[in-house]
Amino acid sequence: MTTASSPYARITDMLSNVSNFNIIDTTLREGEQFANAFFNTEQKLKIAKALDDFGVEYIELTSPVASEKSREDNEKICQLGLKCKVLSHIRCHMHDASVGVETSVDGLSVVIGTSSYLRKFSHGKDMDAIYKAAGEVVTFIKSKGKEVRFSSEDSFRSDLVDLLRLYRHVDKLGVNRVGVADTVGCANPRQVYELIRTLRGVVNCDIECHFHNDTGCAIANAYCALEAGATHINTTILGIGERNGIVPLGGFAARMYVADKTYVTNKYNLHMIRDIENMVADFVEIQIPFNNYITGYCAFTHKAGIHAKAILNNPTTYEILRPEDFGMTRYVSIGHRLTGWNAVKSRCEQLDLHLTDDEIKEVTRKIKELADIKPLGIEEVDSLLRVYNKKLEQTSHENIAAAADAAGAEIKDESSN
Amino acid sequence: MTTASSPYARITDMLSNVSNFNIIDTTLREGEQFANAFFNTEQKLKIAKALDDFGVEYIELTSPVASEKSREDNEKICQLGLKCKVLSHIRCHMHDASVGVETSVDGLSVVIGTSSYLRKFSHGKDMDAIYKAAGEVVTFIKSKGKEVRFSSEDSFRSDLVDLLRLYRHVDKLGVNRVGVADTVGCANPRQVYELIRTLRGVVNCDIECHFHNDTGCAIANAYCALEAGATHINTTILGIGERNGIVPLGGFAARMYVADKTYVTNKYNLHMIRDIENMVADFVEIQIPFNNYITGYCAFTHKAGIHAKAILNNPTTYEILRPEDFGMTRYVSIGHRLTGWNAVKSRCEQLDLHLTDDEIKEVTRKIKELADIKPLGIEEVDSLLRVYNKKLEQTSHENIAAAADAAGAEIKDESSN
């Protein structure tokens, strides 16, 4: 329960679970609601195994009531004998519950809309009817020996008093977890903190949270929920889900790694993130976003001169995620107009070219001049540095500006041929 | 200064600027540090004009010291006669400042690293030297009549007392804004709130914030900074910048729209977001991420049966962003195994097919059965509904199950031909 050893850690709070949380990955439920998702049985089994190997504590599956194939696939996933627990997601109906308890899953995740929006335009029930249905469904599932979570839907547009009354009701009936869901992606971090901290004082059971990302707060909301005392966070691979999705597993891992590196690296197999994301991206026919957390192709690329200089001195200057911990590598970009001589110096050392600082500054001037017209690839930079070194040797290091200009002219000729 | 009229608005706080903020877009500075970015003059002018038309209050440009072309382009942008103010970004050096004040920009954004990491491995200066340099540079720029912002770099890994002392110093010297920068993307929302709220009590000038997104908190941090009293937020188009970038203009607009729709829609031309993003994506040769805020291709797609049903009744059930306000359209997906009969009913009405609820439930069963094997395109769903309607008429609506099965068989044959 102690928080991170990092220099930017918050002061420890007894109720915070930043260093003590569980992941419920719902790629096989929420992820199936992504526009492009249509997982066949084999794909579902692969995703379930990969998530289990990664180390998530739970996976959540589409309701067995959704379709015949959904029910069959749920059974097949249960037969895999995974280390993680398997849940399926059902509406707060006795019919769904009675089908759910006959499957082999470890638990059922029950949901019902509680905002005035959903009460009026989705299921039409008032809060008293919800209260009654919740009690009936939870009691029934408990009696069958399954784990049960009871979640409101659209929690952040629901009446606070109604919500707390409902949660206390199901908590007293022995629910394993209550769920808070920002179904529409409207919640903001301090609002999340306040609701979860309040709820933490009302129920004794665990608290699960589900955050959509319509307004860019999903990961931050998950973090603040843990600070407030939530215990379980919903993720999906690449964040896929309804609309633009929910908390992405990789981005969430990055956030929690920064908060408590030891806890996260001991618990989850972070090297798998790239492969799992590539697999799912392939299944749903999307590209990994250029700016994806950890695995986006520029996540560890450093470009501006002052960044490159400092990174070469000590990567912690501009990196809080060690690429090696995620099976990734760092790239320092130098062939552009924002480059600096320290980055060029580092490259000269890699190429075993022995130049003085003044000589390096001179060739850096030349790189900036050329790159101001068109950025240079690393091969062009290397070629320029090698030719420059040769010219310097030929002229006994007498006129470094002339050598740089001559080298620049030579590689320009090469690239135009 | 009043906050939103939305039902999920926070209680108004006198210091909050959620309904009173300015955007400093730095696509032409931070964005140029994105791995793929190499803007030519024409592209820079187009980006500057588009941002001005969108309505940002400031744009920030690469330092004129970076390269000769950077200096020339800064002048050309200043000559456009934009409504927004133009800033350029410089290091806290007298040399950079003396070049900067000779250009036509409205102001200079001065930056220096203040964390122990950057002090040791980047510029090597101690806090006293920074204090002195800051005073000298700020005073000089002020004396030349330009706006000046003084920012620390890596603020969230800097010593709080050192930071506050430095900010108070430059505030007393008459700086227009102090800047707080999460250069490495380590900050979390409540930490941001606390630092900015503290700083709000220390300085009288405006407070500008710059948040990287390595751990998924950039937009949320910007929001919490405004809640705490920050006045200016840095954005880039699509969030492009060093590593995986900073607060994206579109995502930030989505967040603030939810907080105060009237303020945001009156101030910014939200319909332009898609075109501006497409233009920049084209310039830097990237694809718009599948899950991009507002413009990602599934941002307004609704799939699960209960979502589709409610959305068709009333879009506010599952949408907090009105797609029309961003020049976008909603799509309700129905040809998949998670579909529901209410969504199918809505499609029948659009096709002017007059079916009873029982008949619609029956054909929904058929759609789920077919889609359990392979999802159906909208043309296939339409074809199924039309054939089903015809079969029903031919059999006088006597056996609805047989008609659904016959229609299913017919469209399966069609699609296998």
Side-chain angles (χ1 to χ4, degrees):
Chain A
M1 283 287 274
T2 59
T3 49
S5 55
S6 70
Y8 33 93
R10 296 180 54 78
I11 293 160
T12 304
D13 173 330
M14 290 280 289
L15 294 179
S16 168
N17 284 320
V18 161
S19 298
N20 182 31
F21 59 87
N22 291 289
I23 295 176
I24 299 179
D25 188 278
T26 177
T27 303
L28 293 172
R29 194 281 295 175
E30 177 73 47
E32 225 190 354
Q33 293 176 220
F34 170 53
N36 272 26
F38 177 81
F39 301 126
N40 61 36
T41 306
E42 189 195 353
Q43 289 170 338
K44 288 182 191 174
L45 296 176
K46 280 186 180 164
I47 291 170
K49 279 188 220 162
L51 287 166
D52 191 46
D53 288 343
F54 175 80
V56 302
E57 287 78 7
Y58 287 86
I59 59 174
E60 183 182 73
L61 313 179
T62 292
S63 171
V65 177
S67 77
E68 183 53 25
K69 191 133 195 67
S70 300
R71 199 190 55 73
E72 290 169 15
D73 290 344
N74 284 9
E75 287 305 315
K76 286 178 184 156
I77 290 167
C78 290
Q79 286 156 18
L80 288 173
L82 303 175
K83 295 182 294 294
C84 66
K85 288 194 180 175
V86 180
L87 305 169
S88 81
H89 186 254
I90 62 165
R91 293 170 298 183
C92 186
H93 287 174
M94 281 305 286
H95 170 68
D96 289 18
S98 62
V99 175
V101 296
E102 296 302 321
T103 68
S104 312
V105 297
D106 298 291
L108 296 175
S109 299
V110 178
V111 69
I112 191 163
T114 48
S115 67
S116 60
Y117 300 87
L118 295 185
R119 294 200 331 257
K120 186 162 173 196
F121 299 106
S122 179
H123 53 67
K125 294 193 175 97
D126 64 18
M127 284 308 295
D128 285 337
I130 292 172
Y131 192 89
K132 188 162 166 290
E136 193 180 11
V137 168
V138 165
T139 305
F140 171 73
I141 297 170
K142 283 279 295 177
S143 77
K144 299 292 178 177
K146 299 249 188 233
E147 238 184 62
V148 55
R149 178 214 72 184
F150 177 84
S151 182
S152 66
E153 200 189 352
D154 203 6
S155 316
F156 291 88
R157 297 192 302 175
S158 300
D159 180 86
L160 178 65
V161 180
D162 284 349
L163 264 192
L164 295 178
R165 177 170 165 262
L166 183 60
Y167 286 137
R168 190 171 58 187
H169 177 50
V170 294
D171 181 44
K172 285 189 173 158
L173 293 175
V175 84
N176 298 79
R177 290 181 299 285
V178 289
V180 172
D182 180 19
T183 310
V184 296
C186 69
N188 67 66
R190 293 176 60 246
Q191 179 186 22
V192 168
Y193 182 87
E194 286 167 25
L195 177 60
I196 301 298
R197 190 45 69 105
T198 302
L199 180 57
R200 187 63 290 171
V202 169
V203 297
N204 292 310
C205 62
D206 284 342
I207 300 174
E208 174 178 338
C209 290
H210 180 88
F211 295 110
H212 276 263
N213 199 34
D214 301 72
T215 66
C217 291
I219 293 174
N221 286 343
Y223 185 79
C224 287
L226 292 176
E227 286 188 309
T231 54
H232 294 68
I233 298 294
N234 283 188
T235 64
T236 64
I237 297 163
L238 290 165
I240 60 171
E242 284 279 352
R243 305 186 309 282
N244 82 333
I246 68 161
V247 177
L249 181 64
F252 180 65
R255 168 97 295 270
M256 300 319 297
Y257 169 101
V258 168
D260 191 342
K261 181 172 160 178
T262 309
Y263 182 77
V264 172
T265 52
N266 285 345
K267 202 169 173 195
Y268 302 110
N269 191 350
L270 301 178
H271 284 244
M272 287 183 66
I273 293 174
R274 181 163 48 173
D275 286 346
I276 297 180
E277 288 183 349
N278 285 342
M279 176 177 74
V280 170
D282 186 41
F283 291 166
V284 300
E285 299 179 354
I286 54 172
Q287 290 210 328
I288 304 290
F290 75 92
N291 56 0
N292 200 43
Y293 306 107
I294 300 166
T295 65
Y297 86 100
C298 53
F300 298 107
T301 297
H302 303 276
K303 185 169 171 186
I306 53 170
H307 285 223
K309 169 188 171 184
I311 278 282
L312 293 165
N313 272 335
N314 182 340
T316 60
T317 48
Y318 285 101
E319 264 174 11
I320 43 161
L321 306 169
R322 275 185 75 227
E324 301 83 352
D325 287 343
F326 300 89
M328 303 294 292
T329 50
R330 175 181 307 120
Y331 178 65
V332 178
S333 167
I334 60 173
H336 54 81
R337 66 164 71 119
L338 308 178
T339 199
W341 74 276
N342 285 284
V344 175
K345 182 176 180 181
S346 157
R347 187 64 188 165
C348 289
E349 286 164 3
Q350 288 169 351
L351 297 175
D352 202 26
L353 303 177
H354 303 281
L355 305 180
T356 66
D357 284 357
D358 281 346
E359 287 166 355
I360 289 166
K361 284 176 185 168
E362 192 59 36
V363 76
T364 303
R365 175 192 62 75
K366 194 72 207 174
I367 293 173
K368 284 170 99 80
E369 189 185 306
L370 293 170
D372 224 8
I373 300 155
K374 187 177 79 62
L376 308 179
I378 190 70
E379 304 77 13
E380 288 172 299
V381 172
D382 290 354
S383 172
L384 177 69
L385 296 176
R386 289 202 178 93
V387 173
Y388 177 56
N389 186 54
K390 199 189 293 173
K391 301 267 177 205
L392 285 174
E393 286 172 358
Q394 286 165 354
T395 60
S396 313
H397 298 255
E398 273 170 12
N399 188 336
I400 62 174
D405 288 338
E410 197 166 317
I411 74 136
K412 258 212 297 207
D413 288 348
E414 271 173 31
S415 62
S416 59
N417 287 341
Chain B
M1 285 288 273
T2 58
T3 49
S5 55
S6 69
Y8 33 93
R10 294 180 54 80
I11 294 158
T12 303
D13 173 331
M14 290 279 290
L15 294 178
S16 169
N17 284 320
V18 161
S19 298
N20 182 31
F21 60 86
N22 292 288
I23 294 174
I24 299 178
D25 187 278
T26 177
T27 304
L28 293 172
R29 195 280 296 174
E30 177 72 48
E32 226 190 352
Q33 292 175 221
F34 171 53
N36 272 25
F38 176 83
F39 300 127
N40 62 35
T41 306
E42 189 194 352
Q43 289 171 338
K44 288 183 191 173
L45 296 175
K46 281 186 180 165
I47 291 169
K49 278 190 222 163
L51 288 166
D52 192 46
D53 288 343
F54 175 80
V56 302
E57 287 78 8
Y58 287 86
I59 58 173
E60 182 182 75
L61 313 178
T62 292
S63 171
V65 177
S67 77
E68 183 52 27
K69 190 133 195 70
S70 299
R71 198 190 57 71
E72 290 169 16
D73 290 344
N74 284 8
E75 286 305 314
K76 286 179 185 156
I77 290 166
C78 290
Q79 286 157 18
L80 288 173
L82 303 175
K83 295 181 295 295
C84 66
K85 287 194 181 176
V86 180
L87 306 169
S88 81
H89 186 253
I90 62 166
R91 292 170 297 183
C92 186
H93 287 172
M94 280 304 287
H95 170 68
D96 288 18
S98 63
V99 174
V101 297
E102 295 303 321
T103 67
S104 311
V105 296
D106 298 292
L108 296 174
S109 299
V110 178
V111 69
I112 191 162
T114 47
S115 66
S116 60
Y117 301 86
L118 295 184
R119 294 200 331 258
K120 185 162 174 198
F121 297 106
S122 179
H123 54 65
K125 293 194 175 99
D126 64 17
M127 284 307 296
D128 285 338
I130 292 172
Y131 192 90
K132 188 161 167 291
E136 192 179 13
V137 168
V138 165
T139 305
F140 171 73
I141 297 169
K142 283 279 296 177
S143 77
K144 298 294 179 176
K146 299 250 188 234
E147 239 184 61
V148 55
R149 177 214 71 184
F150 176 84
S151 182
S152 66
E153 200 189 353
D154 202 6
S155 315
F156 291 88
R157 296 193 299 175
S158 301
D159 180 86
L160 177 65
V161 180
D162 284 348
L163 265 192
L164 296 177
R165 177 170 167 263
L166 183 60
Y167 285 137
R168 189 171 59 187
H169 176 50
V170 295
D171 182 44
K172 285 189 174 158
L173 293 175
V175 83
N176 297 78
R177 291 181 298 286
V178 288
V180 172
D182 179 20
T183 309
V184 296
C186 68
N188 68 66
R190 294 176 60 246
Q191 179 186 23
V192 168
Y193 182 87
E194 286 168 26
L195 177 60
I196 302 298
R197 188 48 64 108
T198 302
L199 180 59
R200 185 64 290 169
V202 169
V203 298
N204 292 309
C205 63
D206 283 342
I207 299 173
E208 175 179 336
C209 290
H210 181 88
F211 295 109
H212 276 263
N213 199 34
D214 301 72
T215 66
C217 290
I219 293 174
N221 285 344
Y223 185 79
C224 286
L226 292 175
E227 285 188 310
T231 55
H232 295 67
I233 299 293
N234 283 188
T235 64
T236 64
I237 298 162
L238 290 166
I240 59 171
E242 283 280 352
R243 304 186 309 281
N244 82 333
I246 68 162
V247 177
L249 181 63
F252 180 64
R255 169 97 294 271
M256 301 318 297
Y257 169 101
V258 168
D260 192 342
K261 181 172 160 177
T262 310
Y263 182 76
V264 172
T265 52
N266 285 344
K267 202 168 173 195
Y268 303 110
N269 192 350
L270 301 179
H271 283 243
M272 287 183 66
I273 292 174
R274 181 163 49 171
D275 286 346
I276 297 179
E277 287 184 348
N278 285 342
M279 176 178 74
V280 170
D282 186 42
F283 291 166
V284 300
E285 299 179 352
I286 54 171
Q287 290 210 329
I288 305 289
F290 74 93
N291 55 359
N292 201 42
Y293 306 107
I294 300 167
T295 66
Y297 86 100
C298 53
F300 297 107
T301 296
H302 304 275
K303 185 169 172 187
I306 53 170
H307 286 225
K309 169 188 172 184
I311 277 282
L312 292 165
N313 271 335
N314 182 339
T316 60
T317 47
Y318 286 101
E319 264 175 12
I320 43 159
L321 307 169
R322 275 186 76 227
E324 302 84 352
D325 287 343
F326 300 89
M328 303 294 292
T329 50
R330 174 182 309 119
Y331 178 64
V332 178
S333 168
I334 59 174
H336 54 81
R337 67 164 70 118
L338 309 178
T339 199
W341 74 276
N342 285 284
V344 175
K345 183 177 181 180
S346 158
R347 187 63 187 166
C348 289
E349 286 164 1
Q350 288 168 351
L351 297 175
D352 202 25
L353 304 176
H354 303 280
L355 305 178
T356 66
D357 285 356
D358 282 346
E359 288 166 354
I360 289 166
K361 285 177 184 167
E362 192 59 36
V363 77
T364 303
R365 176 192 62 75
K366 194 73 208 171
I367 293 173
K368 284 170 99 78
E369 188 185 307
L370 293 170
D372 223 8
I373 301 155
K374 186 176 79 63
L376 308 179
I378 190 71
E379 304 78 13
E380 288 171 300
V381 172
D382 290 353
S383 173
L384 177 69
L385 296 175
R386 288 203 179 92
V387 174
Y388 177 56
N389 186 53
K390 199 190 292 172
K391 301 266 179 209
L392 286 174
E393 285 172 1
Q394 286 166 354
T395 60
S396 312
H397 299 256
E398 273 169 11
N399 187 337
I400 62 176
D405 289 338
E410 196 166 317
I411 74 136
K412 259 212 295 207
D413 287 347
E414 270 173 32
S415 62
S416 58
N417 287 341

